[in-house]
Amino acid sequence: MNNLKIAATERSPEVDFDFERGVLVLRGESYPEDASAIFGPIFSALETFLAEGEKREVKMDFDLTYFNSSSAKALMNMFQMLDHAAAAGTKITVSWFFAPDDDTMKEFGEDFSEDLKHVIFNLVAVEDAA
Amino acid sequence: MSFNLFDAEEKTLEQAEILRAGLTDQPESIRTGINDLVDAFSRSVREQRRLVRVSDRLQAQLATVNQELARRRAEAETALGDLQAAQDSLIQSEKLASLGALVGGIAHEINTPVGIALSCASHLADSTAGLRKLFEADNIGIEDFERYLATATDTTTLILSNCERAAALIRSFKQVAVDRASSERRRFDLGDYVRETLASLGPHLRQAGHTVKVECPAGLILDSYPGALSQVLSNFVMNSLIHGFDSGQTGTLSILIDQPTPQWVRLIYADNGKGVPESDLSRIFDPFFTTRRGSGGSGLGLHIVYNLVTGPLGGSVSVEKAANGRGVAFTVTLPLSSEI
Ligand SMILES: Nc1ncnc2c1ncn2[C@@H]1O[C@H](COP(=O)(O)OP(=O)(O)OP(=O)(O)O)[C@@H](O)[C@H]1O
Ligand SMILES: [Mg+2]
């Protein structure tokens, strides 16, 4: 299936989904006025990709520096989607990046990963996140 | 008992667990259905908790940013205030410096005529003493007396002219030190006033034979200092007569007045005479800048103009080459009310 590449805007993150290699990246800030406009295409691509059901490895990176409440809800939905797919047999590794001095982002990562049962989850501190 | 934001949800979940436990004899489909519902509800409560945390965090960040913003704004305002104070004191010291230059220049200018008058007076005193000696010794000859008369005539002429020159310099100095409070302020019709001022200069103008043009919208009322304005115009006109044209040469002097914005008028004074060399244009308003030193020019006329326009009249003045390349043009911008 086609890769999904969307450039970042001032209020929405960069989307870099390389489905061929199974490497998916969300990077930047996310506080769109209309969350569904931003996350709608992301979800439908992700859904199609995960439904292909091939037993393969998927890496998904969340490299976010700021997000609003609806983006948070969308992220949780995405986490649940990934966990379902992992339960069904896809090997999924999620990495949550945060700047070492950004405790908030780190705690959100911990918080959001609470419900993950089947996904391999990593918290990764990086010097120059975003 | 500590307050729990999600007390009701937790109680509901407990109830649901009890319900689930009591379902053992229900059919399989009901048990899975209830199971899924309870799981979904408990997930939903967890998500709610996270969302509340996210939202609280965002509000807190926003508040911090706002505080920071207010702090920076206060800082910027203080800095601006400091800057304005510094600027004021700069302007003040600039004024003092130009006053100092003016006083220095005045002293220098007055020194010459006063020095000449002084040496003439002492020469006259010496001659008088000599003559008295001869007179008292009854030894005075007609030649001695004639020589003395010649000396007295020469020295008194020089003393008189130099004292007059000094007095004239002191008069212009008084004008330079424009005293705002002493000059009268009133409402007047600009066009009428300009024509009156020109009429008072009539003898000079008629003698020279120049054409004078005045254009001004009718009924333009200024609330300002007419005395200062007429002094400005007189200086312009006298300069045109003295510097703009050689004797016998005639030209045109023009005063065009318009109102570019509701609160401001613009007066363009121009002549079509010899004009001012490019290199002199920037110094023309400086005190003591004159191209006629030694033949009556003190170089204070346009400096007075500058001080009057920017001081009591509250406007600005600039000089350009006349539009057609001949002569000189002064643009004076004045507020309708000199207090704005
Ligand atoms: N209309 C003009 N045309 C040509 N030159 C001018 C004109 N007006 C001013 N100037 C030049 O600007 C110089 C400065 O003028 P300003 O009125 O300050 O002094 P001044 O006329 O020389 O002496 P004062 O006015 O003190 O008797 C003049 O000496 C002259 O060179
Ligand atoms: Mg003059």
Side-chain angles (χ1 to χ4, degrees), chain A residues 66-69 73 76 80 104 107-108 111-112 114-115, chain B residues 43 46-51 53-55 57-58 61-62:
Chain A
Y66 184 87
F67 47 78
N68 64 4
S69 306
K73 176 63 173 140
M76 287 190 258
Q80 201 184 345
T104 305
E107 280 163 31
F108 285 156
D111 230 13
F112 289 5
E114 222 177 60
D115 280 331
Chain B
R43 171 186 297 278
R46 287 196 297 279
E47 289 195 348
Q48 247 192 88
R49 288 179 189 275
R50 287 177 207 138
L51 282 176
R53 273 198 290 274
V54 168
S55 157
R57 217 41 98 88
L58 294 180
Q61 282 175 350
L62 196 66

Side-chain angles (χ1 to χ4, degrees), chain B residues 100-117:
Chain B
L102 187 70
V103 171
I106 284 282
H108 181 80
E109 288 290 307
I110 290 180
N111 217 19
T112 314
V114 168
I116 294 172

Side-chain angles (χ1 to χ4, degrees), chain B residues 190 194 215-216 222 229 232-233 236 254-260 264-270 316-318 329-334:
Chain B
L190 183 58
V194 167
E215 277 177 34
C216 180
L222 246 62
L229 185 64
V232 167
L233 287 178
F236 284 157
S254 67
I255 299 175
L256 304 181
I257 297 168
D258 65 355
Q259 197 173 359
W264 292 82
V265 294
R266 177 173 54 192
L267 183 155
I268 299 176
Y269 174 89
S316 62
V317 57
S318 61
F330 293 91
T331 303
V332 179
T333 313
L334 300 172

